[in-house]
Amino acid sequence: MLQKKMDTTTIIAILMIGFAAGILSGMVGVGGGIIIVPALIFFLGFTQHQAQGTSLGLLLLPVGILAVMNYYRSGNIDLKIVGLMAVTFVAGGYLGSKWSLMLPQDTVKKIFAVFLFYTAFKMIGWEKALIAWIKSLSH
């Protein structure tokens, strides 16, 4: 079973990821996986399977129960992390939905699009190519 070191920094990161996922979920209606999976990989060093299992554990019922069981059995879910993130995800979801309803629809669409683009960019690893290209322009 996945057991991450639970020092203060890790706990704060987990709480922040849950809160940010809740906010963006409430704001633009995305599932937590779009936010949680990349955040766990980039900020806490989870493997893809560990991140997916943790995200599914957080969003367990009713749609993910069978997938969660598979990831849990394979050792890719730490229930302490799921529990911590769930608390802040709920709070973030509430705030994100409030903020979204105060913004024009076009603004919310742009926030969503920028977030998706940034996440895809990072997951593919294009930032390294972009940085190298920018450096080559400056010489």
Side-chain angles (χ1 to χ4, degrees):
M1 179 189 304
L2 167 70
Q3 291 292 317
K4 283 289 188 184
K5 183 180 168 196
M6 296 293 281
D7 60 14
T8 303
T9 303
T10 302
I11 291 170
I12 290 169
I14 290 165
L15 294 173
M16 289 174 60
I17 291 168
F19 192 64
I23 287 173
L24 283 168
S25 180
M27 264 186 107
V28 295
V30 298
I34 291 174
I35 298 133
I36 292 168
V37 171
L40 291 174
I41 291 168
F42 298 139
F43 300 126
L44 294 178
F46 281 42
T47 67
Q48 184 71 31
H49 286 132
Q50 291 169 340
Q52 288 172 194
T54 300
S55 178
L56 285 168
L58 174 63
L59 305 170
L60 171 67
L61 295 171
V63 296
I65 187 70
L66 297 177
V68 169
M69 289 169 47
N70 286 332
Y71 277 96
Y72 183 77
R73 284 186 196 130
S74 68
N76 288 303
I77 297 177
D78 184 329
L79 295 177
K80 290 181 297 212
I81 291 172
V82 169
L84 285 171
M85 223 183 304
V87 171
T88 53
F89 188 96
V90 170
Y94 175 78
L95 286 175
S97 64
K98 288 290 204 183
W99 294 341
S100 179
L101 293 170
M102 292 187 297
L103 296 171
Q105 285 188 57
D106 285 344
T107 302
V108 177
K109 284 181 187 178
K110 289 174 185 169
I111 291 168
F112 183 54
V114 167
F115 182 78
L116 288 177
F117 181 76
Y118 174 77
T119 300
F121 199 76
K122 287 283 289 179
M123 299 250 349
I124 292 171
W126 287 349
E127 77 277 2
K128 293 173 189 160
L130 180 63
I131 290 168
W133 179 71
I134 291 170
K135 284 182 180 179
S136 73
L137 292 176
S138 65
H139 292 327

